[in-house]
Each structure stands twice: as structure tokens, then as C-alpha cells.
Amino acid sequence: MTQYVYFFGGGKADGNKDMKDLLGGKGSGLAEMTNAGLPVPPGFTVSTRACNLYMETGGRLPAEVDEQIEKALARLEQLMGKKLGDPADPLLVSVRSGAKFSMPGMMDTILNLGLNDRSVLGLKAKTGNGRFAKDSYRRFIQMYGNVVLGIDKDKFEHELAAIKKKYRAAADVDLDEKALDEVIARYKAVVQKETGRPFPQDPREQLRGARDAVFKSWGNPRAVTYRKLNDIPHDLGTAVNVQTMVFGNMGENSATGVGFTRNPSTGAKEFYGEFLQNAQGEDVVAGTRTPHPIAELQKVMPEAYKQLREITTRLERHYKDVQDFEFTIQENKLYMLQTRNGKRTGLAAIHIAVDFVEEGILTPREAVMKVEPQALDQLLHPIFEPKQRAKAETAAKGLPASPGAATGAVVFTADDAVAWSQKGKRVLLVRMETVPDDIHGMSVAQGILTATGGMTSHAAVVGRQMGKPSVVGCGALHIDAKGKKLKVGGQVVNEGDAISIDGSTGDVILKEMPTSPSEVLQVVAGKLKPEKSVLYQKFEKLLGWADEIRRLGIRANADIPRDAKVAFAFGARGIGLCRTEHMFFAQDRLPQVVRMILAAARGQRGLDLTRRLKDRLKEARGSQTAEIKKELAKVQKEYGKHVADYTGALKKLLPMQRADFAGLFKEMHGTPVTIRTLDPPLHEFLPKREELMVQVAVLRAKGGARNKAEVARKEKLLRAVEELHEFNPMLGHRGCRLGITYPEITRMQARAIFEAAVQVAKKGIPVKPEVMIPLVGHVEELKRQKQIVIEEATAVLGKDGSGVEYLVGTMIEVPRGAVTADEIAREAEFFSFGTNDLTQMGFGLSRDDAAKFLLYYQEHGILEKDPFVSLDAGGVGQLVEIGVQKGRKVKPDLKVGVCGEHGGDPSSIHFFHKVGLNYVSCSPYRVPIARLAAAQAQLEKPVGD
Ligand code: ADP
Ligand code: MG
Ligand code: MG
């Protein structure tokens, strides 16, 4: 026989704390507290199994469920010495829902069930308190009417307000018994009118009705939405708790309250909570009367207070976690009604985890498991002043791309952002979407807001990397960049108007909001001494424990020394990805880059032809010599200028890149620095075709000699842009394909890397460069690029290597690369999975266009998560696994890492840990998250111990 009903009472319970699946959180907590001998009103829990049956059968529960409930009820009646519905001395119960995870949005609790027109008189007689009895009855009709019969709450509130007005009562408690009789009469009339039936008087019918309402509430839209948002499975079901009532509304020596064993927003070790005298149930949180801070309970009911502190302290130790509890005091006697692990902010989580270790409640390993990695984010970014935030209205919502609160004056272009901020204004950059040459504006802005794009759009990735609060893909914005204004929900925001965004939630608020800076970040940035910040010390302590546990190395994706410095301070030990091209967008470089691009095709061809002819010249005899020389002259005439431009631009870029790399090496203090050779399609460095066409047309219309020269220049650029145009740039001329067709570029970059390495090594700072070739799909691609790198290394480092050890490896980001990883491993000294591209190509899903349908996919359950945010373990993950296995088959010690955005996502980190990667690399601000997530992955699934 299946057990559907679990009893608790008389010092013993059928269930315990490990039965949340079956009894829900509330039921298992009540059972556990009962077993611990705490004062819990007795009752029984109908299991989630019954709920699932109820849902499956459309409400036809097997008879055994009802039989078991009857039995439990009989046992309860015996224990309490009262009977449900007994007109002389009724047993009253509450009916409470309770799923495995606490879920606001589910059914409200029903109290005082068992009262009817006759038993209310019995309750009055038995307690000698008519006011209390009537108050309990009117509450019951109201709750049952609303929750079970589906009558609008307002209908009852309306009647209550009328009576309060009639008797000039300020609060509910001011109504006397006679007034409450009137309320009851009116409530019953409401029920009759709304349902066409009188209020049910049969307690068994009441109980069945309440039970079924709880089961049904599992499927109500609010609950379904909540589960979706919080990744809670839909098939868990909810339990129903039927529990003997105790009364906080029996007068001034009675009370009800809620509390936490520690402050859940700051983590401070202080008793935290509120209570109300002569009140019941949710009065404390309903806001109708102002509750008192729990400390005052000590004055009014010292005995109960003392007992409450003892019990909750015990519970905290028992559960090894902060407890969120509910209690009721009936005539000075304390009852516990609920306990569960308390939700807390990221800030509180750190304090609590470390304090618990210091108090001997948790071991460091247990503490590491207690903090949600994602919650660390809250410590690194500015936040809105909580009270102000609660008051402010959310005007629109976008994707929470990069956390933190930002407020500033709206500007619509990167140039304006710079101009305004030079005048000392704090700006918020609002763009349709951002592009690489918006970087200068992004870096001065307080935050970034875009109307299109997903979690891995340019704005999102760069925002995270810079640690800038960013909200992207906010479709409700209608941006008129030319007119310098935007519209959202009927409101117009002009350039210069203040708005605020919350990158942790995606909220957009149309006014200025006060923010406070992150203490941890101030320490990391060297603006605050670590000794001055208790928070920072605890943060580092917790992460220090994580470091001792984890097997994955943590590196950062950083392009410039400033980011590298932050990354190192956060605990990154290496750079997993330096995107060399990001440095190309700097204002002093872009002209050289453009010059290089314009000349690249012909310049490289000129160089190749010249080289070939010169080789032939060496072996030439007699008349051949003259002929080759003539041909050389012809090549010189045709290509000379392009060659000069091409090599000239590269020569100018070399020292700039060298300086960048030297800076990175210095900041990383001898940890490995992985530098990727040029990756994006070249057209990304040039202006947009449409823009150029407009400019040319405008200049032509203006006429004049100066404009004419400018027209010629722009037209040349336009031709180049058109030549470089690709239908599918992400699958086009990019990655190693550039370095193969334009080897001079790879050569220059390799040279810059090794010259920088020598420079820094000479100063006594160790360096470990790792040169990484992107987008390799065929071993031959890597082989050729590697050869160039080695040639330059040998040329720069000399035979002895100048004390610089380096590696040449590749990104695995093309599916073909993953499945031929064994061949590639013969050439590669390391692998780094570029999971952004691997997802894009593995799914055949354009990262830049996917926002349009990916959200739909998620909303309709086709995909559970955005695969660009959380690695698709089942599909793209297999490519990673195959890559690792095949690579290590050839080279057992092959170092393998990941440098896609997934490197900072906790669930992806669990996957990477499991498949045996050596390290993950993520944006600097996610390094702490990665450290903690990697430790949790090891604790959950130990490898290598
Ligand atoms: P929620 O899940 O919304 O917290 P609960 O089932 O915990 O709902 O009930 C809310 C409140 O109702 C409790 O905090 C308590 O004050 C009151 N309550 C519930 N059951 C009882 C009971 N048996 N006796 C007295 N008060 C109760
Ligand atoms: Mg509760
Ligand atoms: Mg890539």
C-alpha cells in the first residue's frame, strides 16, 4: 500500500528533513521539528504523490487517499481531545500548501477551518472570548471564500471597510464581537451572491474543498510562471499540510510573527524579524497594521522570547544554515509553525558562510557549497539604494547582460558619450546595438543600453568584460539616434535626460537613482586597503577555500593591461584569450589598420611574386637573369606602392602591439598569456558601406576642390569595402584564413609577441606566451601558421631562446576541428575551445541574428536555456568531449582550456570540470564566480583525488 499521508505530533513524526520531495519543504520541516521535540501543533501531511495523482486523473483521487486522511484525522482528534466540527468544542485546523521549493504565487493558506455557525459558538463558550471566536470565523469565511470559492478579495474587504466605517474603527482589532457578527453576516451574503450557494457548513466538505484547492493551485498560471523563471520542474507537485490551529489572536498575551536567525540582507549576526500582538497568520506581512521589531518581544513576552531564541539557534545549528521561521504565541505559549533555509543577498551569503566556519558550524568545504556563485556578482557592482529602488517604477525590461546599477544622462553616440563625459557628465550610452568602434564611448559611459541583441551581443560581451552595467535587447525602446531621443511606453526621453538601468535584472528606470559603489571592487582597484574591508577579507577567505578545492585553473579573457590587472587581482592566473584586434580600434591605430587592409591583397601578392622571382634569380643563368630582372621591375611597378603601404602599415603596428603585449606580460606576473592572432573579417575595421555612400553623395553635392579630394578618398574606401563584402562573414574570410592568405600579418603579430616577451624577460619578470591560431578546421591550416610563428620566434629569441618558453596552439571552434582533434593535436601544443563559435557553428545558429527566435525557443520550451549563455551539454558539449578525447589520445598531456563566454557560467563550468579541461577562461569580473563554481564542481564530482 502506498503511503500518502504522514502524521506529525506527540513528539514523533512519520517524516523528516530529508523528505522534501514527498512532503514539501514545509511538511518536512514540521516533521523534523516535531522529532526534535519542539512545540509544533500536531497535524498531518498529504504527500506530493497524491497531488500528482490528482493532476493526472483530473481530480479523481483513489479511495485509499481519503481513507488515509480520515485515519490521520481520527488520530489527530484523539491526540487533541477534540473533534472537527464538534459544536461544543471544535478542533480547528489550517490547510497549508508546501512544495519542495518555496513558491510564492501558489495557494494562500486557509486558517480556522472547521468553524461554522454552530461551532463558532462552541469556541466562544470554551474560550470565554466571543470577540476572538467571531474574528476567527470571519477570517475563515474570507480566506475560504477567496482561495477555494474563487471570490475576489476586494468583495470581502469592501464589506469589512463598511463596518469599520460604521463603528469608526481604525483597525480590525478595534471591532467588537457585535460588529464582527455583522461582518460575518455580510460575508456569508457575499458567498451566497457570488456562488449561488450558502457558505459550506460541513467541516468535511470544507476540508476536501481546501485540499483540492491546494492541489489545483500547483497548476495556476502564477505558479507555472514562477517555476519557469526559477528552473523548478513542473512534475514535483505540492503537498498539503493539515495542522491543528493555535491562536495568536486571543488577546494581548498572544502574537504571531516571522523572523530570521541572521539579517538576510547584510548577513549580520542579529536576530531579525517582526511580530504583532493579537493577530493571526499573515497579518504581519499584510501591511494592514505595522508590526514591531522582534527585539520588542523580549519586553512584552520575555519567556516566549527566550524560548524562541533558544529554539531558532538550535535550528540554525541543526540545519547548518540561516533559518527563516514562523511562530505563533497563544496565551504566552510559543509554537513553531515553519522553518526553512533563509534566502539571502550575495553580500549576506559571504558573511554567513565565513561566520559559520568561524563559529564551528560548517567546515570550509561545506561553506563553499553554501554560496551561489552567481550571487558573487552582486558584490562587484554598484547597486541602487534599496529603498529608492523599491519606490521607482520600471519603464521597460531588457536582458540583464552585465550586472550592476548605473545612472546617467542619455547619449546616443559613442562620440557624444566621450564629449559629454569630458565635460564632467556621467552618461549612459543608448544604442540600437553597439559595434566595435563604439568602444571609446562604452568605456566612458556609466552603463550601456541597447534595443537589439542577445546575451552574447557585442554590447553584452564587452559590457561584461569592462564590468559595465549593461541591459541589451530592450525591445520596448524606440530609438531615434538622429533626433537624439527615444520613446518608451509613451514617454519621450531626450538627450541629456537622466535614466537608470539595472544590469542584474534588466530593468530600465526613467530617472536618476542614487547608487553605491562596490566595496570589493574598491579594494581590487587599490582604492581601499584590504584591512579596511571586512567584506573583502571574507570574500577572499571563501575564495581561498575554493582555490584549495578546485581542479580547474582559472584564467581571464583580457585584451589590455588594465583588464589584466583587474583579472589578476580577482585571482585569475593566466590569460586564456587576448583578442589582438581589440587593440586595433584605438584611435592612433585604426588609420594604420585601414591602410594595411586596403593594401593587403595586392601588397601580399606583390611580396609573394617578388620573393618567387628573387628565388629564381639566384639560380638563373645567362639571358634568364635579364628576363627575370625585367619581370621584377614590372612587378615593382605594378605592386610597389601596395607593398610599401602594406609593409609600412605593419611596421607601424608592430611597436604598438609589442607595447600592448609587454603590458599584459607584466600584469600577469609569469602566468601564461594566450594571444590569439587576428580573427575578425577585415571589413569590421572599415566604415559601413551605406554610411560611405551617403557621405560621398553629400560631399559631391557640396562640390568644391577640397571636397573633391575627399570624395576620391572615400570612393577608394568604398571600393575596398565592396571588395571585402561577404554574404556570410562569420563563415568567410576570417580567423586563420586571414593569416594564411596574408602571412605577413601573422608574422608581424608573432614578432611583436616575442619581442615583447624578451623585453619583459630582460627585466627579470618571467613570461609565458602562448600563441593561439583561431578557427582551425584542418590540421594543415595550423601547420602553416605555426611554421610562421616558429620562424619569428627563432629569429627573435635566437638559438638559446633568451629564457622565453612559448607554446603554439589552436582554438577548437569549428566542428571539423573538434572531430579531427587527433590530427590537429599532432601540431598543437594546446587546445582552447572557442565555445561561442563552436555553438554558432555546431547549431548552425548565427550569434548575431539568433535573438529574434531564441527567446521564442526558450519561451516555448524548445530550448531550456540560451546555448550562448549556458553550454549545450548534449550537443555542442559532445564536440568538446570528442575534441578532448581525440586530442589527448595523441598527446596525453595536452593542455586544454575554454575561452568562450561559457567559461564564466557555473553550469557550463561543471561540464568543463567533468570532461577534464585544465582551465576555464572568462571575463575578469566573472573570475570569482568561476573560482567558486569550479570548487563546487569538484566537491560534487571529484576528479583527480
Ligand atoms: P506560506 O507558505 O505563505 O508562508 P503558511 O502555510 O506558512 O503560508 O501560513 C501562513 C501563516 O499562517 C503562518 O505563518 C502562520 O502565521 C499562519 N498559520 C498557518 N498554520 C497555522 C496554524 N496551524 N496555527 C496558527 N497559525 C497558522
Ligand atoms: Mg509560511
Ligand atoms: Mg571564434
Side-chain angles (χ1 to χ4, degrees):
M1 197 189 74
T2 315
Q3 185 174 359
Y4 292 103
V5 179
Y6 294 75
F7 195 82
F8 55 90
K12 255 179 59 199
D14 296 343
N16 61 48
K17 76 172 190 320
D18 301 318
M19 292 169 69
K20 282 194 188 152
D21 279 317
L22 213 51
L23 305 182
K26 203 176 283 164
S28 84
L30 290 169
E32 186 79 5
M33 288 196 290
T34 303
N35 282 329
L38 301 184
V40 176
F44 55 88
T45 304
V46 186
S47 77
T48 55
R49 226 179 250 156
C51 175
N52 288 331
L53 265 183
Y54 184 91
M55 300 301 270
E56 278 163 33
T57 58
R60 278 183 300 278
L61 279 173
E64 44 176 344
V65 177
D66 280 326
E67 283 159 21
Q68 290 183 26
I69 290 176
E70 272 306 324
K71 253 201 201 137
L73 184 59
R75 190 171 158 193
L76 186 61
E77 288 176 334
Q78 204 186 5
L79 185 67
M80 300 309 297
K82 294 172 195 252
K83 280 193 173 312
L84 191 71
D86 181 346
D89 182 14
L91 170 71
L92 302 183
V93 295
S94 64
V95 175
R96 317 170 65 186
S97 64
K100 179 173 182 184
F101 304 103
S102 83
M103 273 173 55
M106 289 225 348
M107 193 203 81
D108 293 323
T109 289
I110 295 168
L111 303 178
N112 314 328
L113 188 140
L115 282 175
N116 56 26
D117 292 349
R118 291 176 59 207
S119 64
V120 70
L121 298 175
L123 184 64
K124 174 179 172 177
K126 203 72 198 166
T127 58
N129 189 339
R131 194 206 164 270
F132 153 72
K134 303 297 166 67
D135 183 52
S136 300
Y137 192 27
R138 72 94 191 160
R139 286 170 187 268
F140 174 49
I141 301 174
Q142 187 169 352
M143 281 185 266
Y144 195 93
N146 172 245
V147 176
V148 181
L149 305 176
I151 301 167
D152 201 349
K153 273 186 191 151
D154 290 347
K155 297 248 156 68
F156 295 109
E157 289 299 340
H158 181 75
E159 299 299 338
L160 185 63
I163 299 290
K164 266 158 79 176
K165 196 165 167 209
K166 178 173 164 191
Y167 289 98
R168 302 218 174 95
D172 303 0
V173 277
D174 300 327
L175 294 175
D176 61 14
E177 182 181 352
K178 187 169 147 274
L180 288 166
D181 275 332
E182 282 179 53
V183 174
I184 291 167
R186 287 194 179 209
Y187 276 9
K188 288 201 307 197
V190 169
V191 171
Q192 177 71 48
K193 177 157 175 265
E194 296 296 322
T195 65
R197 291 185 53 207
F199 184 76
Q201 294 288 314
D202 173 9
R204 289 235 165 6
E205 183 191 337
Q206 293 171 354
L207 186 58
R208 254 193 323 274
R211 178 198 68 192
D212 292 356
V214 173
F215 285 158
K216 277 188 215 141
S217 74
W218 180 255
N220 80 30
R222 270 188 310 162
V224 173
T225 311
Y226 183 84
R227 289 199 292 274
K228 269 195 195 153
L229 287 175
N230 291 280
D231 280 339
I232 298 174
H234 294 296
D235 58 2
L236 292 176
T238 178
V240 179
N241 300 286
V242 177
Q243 187 177 22
T244 308
M245 281 303 299
V246 287
F247 299 98
N249 56 336
M250 270 195 175
E252 290 304 304
N253 58 1
S254 302
T256 178
V258 297
F260 284 85
T261 50
R262 316 221 167 183
N263 186 319
S265 61
T266 65
K269 190 177 179 183
E270 63 196 15
F271 206 47
Y272 183 92
E274 294 177 320
F275 75 102
L276 263 178
Q277 279 160 277
N278 197 11
Q280 193 176 47
E282 307 283 67
D283 288 359
V284 177
V285 284
T288 42
R289 281 160 64 192
T290 312
H292 310 293
I294 205 156
E296 282 175 27
L297 188 63
Q298 191 168 15
K299 286 180 223 143
V300 290
M301 295 174 212
E303 268 310 305
Y305 176 81
K306 193 167 149 244
Q307 201 190 354
L308 182 65
R309 286 225 58 167
E310 272 165 20
I311 288 176
T312 54
T313 308
R314 237 176 94 194
L315 284 173
E316 189 181 83
R317 291 205 157 241
H318 184 73
Y319 280 98
K320 296 184 168 198
D321 208 334
V322 171
Q323 294 301 294
D324 166 355
F325 55 84
E326 297 173 10
F327 64 94
T328 284
I329 298 167
Q330 177 177 331
E331 301 189 305
N332 289 319
K333 182 166 169 21
L334 172 73
Y335 293 94
M336 295 304 295
L337 290 172
Q338 191 170 345
T339 193
R340 61 183 159 200
N341 295 344
K343 295 214 165 79
R344 68 209 71 172
T345 62
L347 176 76
I350 297 279
H351 280 290
I352 290 165
V354 176
D355 289 353
F356 269 42
V357 173
E358 276 161 13
E359 291 167 33
I361 301 172
L362 295 177
T363 64
R365 290 180 154 241
E366 287 169 330
V368 160
M369 287 307 285
K370 286 284 184 200
V371 180
E372 179 103 35
Q374 209 67 50
L376 295 182
D377 240 358
Q378 296 169 24
L379 303 186
L380 307 185
H381 302 279
I383 52 170
F384 288 129
E385 207 281 300
K387 279 206 189 104
Q388 301 278 342
R389 177 64 195 96
K391 277 192 253 159
E393 194 185 322
T394 304
K397 239 174 149 54
L399 298 173
S402 175
T407 194
V410 170
V411 290
F412 293 95
T413 68
D415 289 339
D416 286 340
V418 172
W420 281 65
S421 67
Q422 273 166 356
K423 282 186 237 151
K425 287 261 183 203
R426 291 149 58 94
V427 298
L428 218 128
L429 180 61
V430 181
R431 302 279 286 151
M432 219 32 216
E433 58 188 337
T434 60
V435 291
D437 52 17
D438 286 339
I439 298 265
H440 57 302
M442 295 169 83
S443 75
V444 297
Q446 303 296 317
I448 298 149
L449 172 63
T450 70
T452 62
M455 290 293 279
T456 53
S457 63
H458 180 266
V461 173
V462 176
R464 280 196 290 277
Q465 192 158 344
M466 291 181 171
K468 287 255 160 185
S470 310
V471 172
V472 303
C474 183
L477 302 182
H478 298 279
I479 298 175
D480 173 8
K482 283 229 178 67
K484 302 206 167 184
K485 60 179 183 225
L486 70 85
K487 258 196 225 147
V488 51
Q491 297 202 63
V492 177
V493 177
N494 290 304
E495 182 181 46
D497 291 352
I499 68 167
S500 303
I501 57 168
D502 186 339
S504 315
T505 58
D507 292 346
V508 179
I509 300 153
L510 300 186
K511 62 175 203 168
E512 189 170 346
M513 301 272 298
T515 61
S516 48
S518 145
E519 197 173 305
V520 169
L521 204 60
Q522 289 186 48
V523 175
V524 165
K527 289 182 195 143
L528 183 70
K529 290 230 165 65
E531 310 85 81
K532 286 259 153 72
S533 170
V534 176
L535 175 62
Y536 178 80
Q537 290 164 26
K538 289 188 180 168
F539 176 81
E540 255 318 302
K541 190 165 237 171
L542 183 81
L543 290 178
W545 293 329
D547 291 343
E548 280 168 28
I549 296 164
R550 67 181 159 87
R551 287 292 173 275
L552 275 173
I554 309 292
R555 298 193 188 182
N557 300 343
D559 310 329
I560 55 173
R562 188 173 11 119
D563 292 350
K565 190 181 179 127
V566 172
F568 195 87
F570 273 138
R573 292 298 171 261
I575 288 180
L577 174 64
C578 161
R579 303 173 174 94
T580 44
E581 65 271 12
H582 277 188
M583 304 159 174
F584 282 177
F585 287 103
Q587 282 195 340
D588 52 335
R589 301 174 191 194
L590 202 55
Q592 297 303 334
V593 175
V594 171
R595 193 172 144 218
M596 173 191 86
I597 292 169
L598 295 183
R602 287 175 202 88
Q604 187 69 49
R605 179 153 174 76
L607 277 179
D608 292 346
L609 285 173
T610 310
R611 226 172 261 151
R612 223 172 296 151
L613 287 168
K614 281 192 173 155
D615 283 349
R616 273 172 58 200
L617 198 60
K618 276 185 217 146
E619 285 154 29
R621 287 206 184 108
S623 66
Q624 273 180 337
T625 311
E627 200 151 302
I628 294 173
K629 279 191 174 156
K630 218 169 95 192
E631 229 169 292
L632 261 173
K634 218 171 98 194
V635 168
Q636 169 63 26
K637 194 168 160 233
E638 191 175 344
Y639 293 102
K641 190 181 163 322
H642 303 295
V643 171
D645 264 353
Y646 182 48
T647 52
L650 287 169
K651 234 182 233 140
K652 284 253 161 64
L653 287 170
L654 174 78
M656 298 174 179
Q657 292 240 287
R658 188 172 57 214
D660 294 331
F661 298 146
L664 285 181
F665 291 142
K666 272 186 225 145
E667 294 296 351
M668 293 314 291
H669 310 280
T671 60
V673 174
T674 309
I675 298 167
R676 177 178 72 182
T677 53
L678 191 64
D679 182 61
L682 294 181
H683 72 80
E684 281 193 12
F685 299 98
L686 301 180
K688 284 215 169 69
R689 179 169 172 262
E690 292 69 25
E691 280 168 22
L692 277 170
M693 282 165 59
V694 171
Q695 288 167 4
V696 167
V698 170
L699 286 169
R700 275 229 180 91
K702 279 189 190 156
R706 270 213 10 247
N707 286 339
K708 216 167 154 193
E710 191 58 15
V711 166
R713 205 183 65 80
K714 290 244 150 110
E715 279 184 330
K716 190 173 161 205
L717 205 53
L718 186 58
R719 271 197 303 280
V721 169
E722 278 167 353
E723 260 174 46
L724 287 175
H725 171 79
E726 291 177 312
F727 289 103
N728 223 331
M730 278 303 114
L731 302 177
H733 197 184
R734 58 176 284 235
C736 65
R737 301 156 196 174
L738 285 171
I740 285 173
T741 48
Y742 306 135
E744 258 13 79
I745 298 180
T746 304
R747 211 173 273 289
M748 178 278 284
Q749 293 198 299
R751 181 165 280 263
I753 292 169
F754 294 114
E755 286 180 357
V758 171
Q759 216 178 65
V760 175
K762 269 194 188 140
K763 291 193 184 130
I765 304 170
V767 282
K768 275 196 200 146
E770 300 185 345
V771 184
M772 180 160 79
I773 310 299
L775 219 74
V776 166
H778 195 291
V779 61
E780 206 48 40
E781 293 172 320
L782 175 60
K783 203 168 164 185
R784 292 181 190 207
Q785 287 285 286
K786 184 180 164 192
Q787 194 192 339
I788 294 172
V789 174
I790 291 176
E791 278 167 22
E792 291 305 313
T794 320
V796 175
L797 305 177
K799 285 229 171 60
D800 62 348
S802 305
V804 175
E805 274 176 41
Y806 71 94
L807 298 178
V808 187
T810 183
M811 284 183 81
I812 302 287
E813 53 183 337
V814 175
R816 193 185 187 282
V819 297
T820 59
D822 44 354
E823 288 168 22
I824 293 175
R826 280 184 237 285
E827 293 295 330
E829 291 171 310
F830 65 88
F831 281 177
S832 175
F833 285 93
T835 50
N836 295 350
D837 262 309
L838 198 60
T839 299
Q840 173 161 268
M841 295 190 220
F843 254 108
L845 197 66
S846 160
R847 184 147 68 109
D848 305 293
D849 304 306
K852 284 181 206 137
F853 51 88
L854 261 190
L855 209 58
Y856 184 97
Y857 270 40
Q858 284 162 263
E859 277 167 6
H860 292 76
I862 297 167
L863 286 179
E864 220 172 281
K865 287 179 181 166
D866 182 340
F868 290 108
V869 175
S870 212
L871 188 84
D872 158 48
V876 180
Q878 282 198 44
L879 290 170
V880 175
E881 258 187 296
I882 290 170
V884 175
Q885 279 165 10
K886 288 198 157 183
R888 293 235 173 100
K889 212 191 252 161
V890 173
K891 280 200 181 133
D893 293 332
L894 188 72
K895 185 158 65 167
V896 184
V898 58
C899 63
E901 284 291 306
H902 302 100
D905 168 62
S907 76
S908 311
I909 289 172
H910 278 250
F911 177 82
F912 297 135
H913 167 82
K914 215 178 64 198
V915 299
L917 296 203
N918 298 91
Y919 69 85
V920 297
S921 186
C922 58
S923 59
Y925 292 88
R926 295 192 76 81
V927 165
I929 295 175
R931 286 164 74 189
L932 186 56
Q936 294 184 350
Q938 169 69 7
L939 288 173
E940 263 166 35
K941 199 161 190 311
V943 299
D945 268 333

PDB file of all heavy atoms in Angstrom, residues 676 679 734 774-775 811 813 834 836-837, ligand 3:
ATOM      1  N   ARG A 676      45.753  35.450 -29.218  1.00  0.00           N
ATOM      2  CA  ARG A 676      45.174  34.922 -30.454  1.00  0.00           C
ATOM      3  C   ARG A 676      45.568  35.822 -31.616  1.00  0.00           C
ATOM      4  O   ARG A 676      45.494  37.046 -31.516  1.00  0.00           O
ATOM      5  CB  ARG A 676      43.651  34.883 -30.327  1.00  0.00           C
ATOM      6  CG  ARG A 676      42.956  34.409 -31.588  1.00  0.00           C
ATOM      7  CD  ARG A 676      41.460  34.338 -31.396  1.00  0.00           C
ATOM      8  NE  ARG A 676      40.852  35.657 -31.335  1.00  0.00           N
ATOM      9  CZ  ARG A 676      39.544  35.862 -31.122  1.00  0.00           C
ATOM     10  NH1 ARG A 676      38.728  34.842 -30.939  1.00  0.00           N
ATOM     11  NH2 ARG A 676      39.069  37.076 -31.081  1.00  0.00           N
ATOM     12  N   ASP A 679      41.580  37.720 -35.910  1.00  0.00           N
ATOM     13  CA  ASP A 679      40.431  36.831 -36.079  1.00  0.00           C
ATOM     14  C   ASP A 679      39.258  37.381 -36.898  1.00  0.00           C
ATOM     15  O   ASP A 679      38.711  36.664 -37.723  1.00  0.00           O
ATOM     16  CB  ASP A 679      39.940  36.405 -34.689  1.00  0.00           C
ATOM     17  CG  ASP A 679      38.785  35.431 -34.746  1.00  0.00           C
ATOM     18  OD1 ASP A 679      38.973  34.334 -35.309  1.00  0.00           O
ATOM     19  OD2 ASP A 679      37.700  35.759 -34.251  1.00  0.00           O
ATOM     20  N   ARG A 734      38.034  34.906 -42.410  1.00  0.00           N
ATOM     21  CA  ARG A 734      38.378  35.322 -41.048  1.00  0.00           C
ATOM     22  C   ARG A 734      39.199  34.227 -40.386  1.00  0.00           C
ATOM     23  O   ARG A 734      39.454  33.189 -40.976  1.00  0.00           O
ATOM     24  CB  ARG A 734      37.109  35.589 -40.241  1.00  0.00           C
ATOM     25  CG  ARG A 734      36.179  34.388 -40.151  1.00  0.00           C
ATOM     26  CD  ARG A 734      34.986  34.696 -39.265  1.00  0.00           C
ATOM     27  NE  ARG A 734      35.351  34.659 -37.872  1.00  0.00           N
ATOM     28  CZ  ARG A 734      34.736  33.891 -36.947  1.00  0.00           C
ATOM     29  NH1 ARG A 734      33.723  33.116 -37.298  1.00  0.00           N
ATOM     30  NH2 ARG A 734      35.120  33.904 -35.718  1.00  0.00           N
ATOM     31  N   PRO A 774      43.404  30.931 -34.466  1.00  0.00           N
ATOM     32  CA  PRO A 774      41.942  30.756 -34.405  1.00  0.00           C
ATOM     33  C   PRO A 774      41.360  30.020 -35.608  1.00  0.00           C
ATOM     34  O   PRO A 774      41.985  29.951 -36.671  1.00  0.00           O
ATOM     35  CB  PRO A 774      41.430  32.198 -34.385  1.00  0.00           C
ATOM     36  CG  PRO A 774      42.454  32.985 -35.120  1.00  0.00           C
ATOM     37  CD  PRO A 774      43.786  32.298 -34.887  1.00  0.00           C
ATOM     38  N   LEU A 775      40.171  29.476 -35.403  1.00  0.00           N
ATOM     39  CA  LEU A 775      39.299  28.967 -36.461  1.00  0.00           C
ATOM     40  C   LEU A 775      39.926  27.867 -37.313  1.00  0.00           C
ATOM     41  O   LEU A 775      39.695  27.782 -38.518  1.00  0.00           O
ATOM     42  CB  LEU A 775      38.863  30.134 -37.361  1.00  0.00           C
ATOM     43  CG  LEU A 775      37.414  30.081 -37.841  1.00  0.00           C
ATOM     44  CD1 LEU A 775      36.465  30.440 -36.713  1.00  0.00           C
ATOM     45  CD2 LEU A 775      37.209  31.036 -38.995  1.00  0.00           C
ATOM     46  N   MET A 811      42.740  27.240 -31.410  1.00  0.00           N
ATOM     47  CA  MET A 811      41.381  27.214 -30.915  1.00  0.00           C
ATOM     48  C   MET A 811      40.652  26.082 -31.593  1.00  0.00           C
ATOM     49  O   MET A 811      40.829  25.843 -32.783  1.00  0.00           O
ATOM     50  CB  MET A 811      40.668  28.532 -31.209  1.00  0.00           C
ATOM     51  CG  MET A 811      41.109  29.639 -30.290  1.00  0.00           C
ATOM     52  SD  MET A 811      40.194  31.143 -30.585  1.00  0.00           S
ATOM     53  CE  MET A 811      38.698  30.830 -29.680  1.00  0.00           C
ATOM     54  N   GLU A 813      37.098  25.505 -32.511  1.00  0.00           N
ATOM     55  CA  GLU A 813      35.831  26.232 -32.535  1.00  0.00           C
ATOM     56  C   GLU A 813      35.049  25.960 -33.814  1.00  0.00           C
ATOM     57  O   GLU A 813      33.946  26.455 -33.999  1.00  0.00           O
ATOM     58  CB  GLU A 813      36.080  27.730 -32.356  1.00  0.00           C
ATOM     59  CG  GLU A 813      37.096  28.297 -33.345  1.00  0.00           C
ATOM     60  CD  GLU A 813      37.390  29.775 -33.098  1.00  0.00           C
ATOM     61  OE1 GLU A 813      36.543  30.456 -32.494  1.00  0.00           O
ATOM     62  OE2 GLU A 813      38.462  30.239 -33.529  1.00  0.00           O
ATOM     63  N   GLY A 834      36.842  27.438 -28.320  1.00  0.00           N
ATOM     64  CA  GLY A 834      36.121  28.689 -28.501  1.00  0.00           C
ATOM     65  C   GLY A 834      34.649  28.343 -28.590  1.00  0.00           C
ATOM     66  O   GLY A 834      34.105  28.111 -29.665  1.00  0.00           O
ATOM     67  N   ASN A 836      31.946  29.966 -28.167  1.00  0.00           N
ATOM     68  CA  ASN A 836      30.992  30.858 -28.849  1.00  0.00           C
ATOM     69  C   ASN A 836      30.814  30.403 -30.288  1.00  0.00           C
ATOM     70  O   ASN A 836      29.705  30.184 -30.763  1.00  0.00           O
ATOM     71  CB  ASN A 836      31.494  32.302 -28.851  1.00  0.00           C
ATOM     72  CG  ASN A 836      31.574  32.883 -27.453  1.00  0.00           C
ATOM     73  OD1 ASN A 836      31.089  32.280 -26.506  1.00  0.00           O
ATOM     74  ND2 ASN A 836      32.180  34.037 -27.337  1.00  0.00           N
ATOM     75  N   ASP A 837      31.939  30.313 -31.001  1.00  0.00           N
ATOM     76  CA  ASP A 837      31.854  29.890 -32.395  1.00  0.00           C
ATOM     77  C   ASP A 837      31.431  28.433 -32.523  1.00  0.00           C
ATOM     78  O   ASP A 837      30.689  28.070 -33.424  1.00  0.00           O
ATOM     79  CB  ASP A 837      33.206  30.105 -33.101  1.00  0.00           C
ATOM     80  CG  ASP A 837      33.208  31.410 -33.880  1.00  0.00           C
ATOM     81  OD1 ASP A 837      32.258  31.622 -34.666  1.00  0.00           O
ATOM     82  OD2 ASP A 837      34.138  32.213 -33.698  1.00  0.00           O
TER      83      ASP A 837
HETATM   84 MG    MG B   3      35.933  32.459 -32.576  1.00  0.00          MG
END
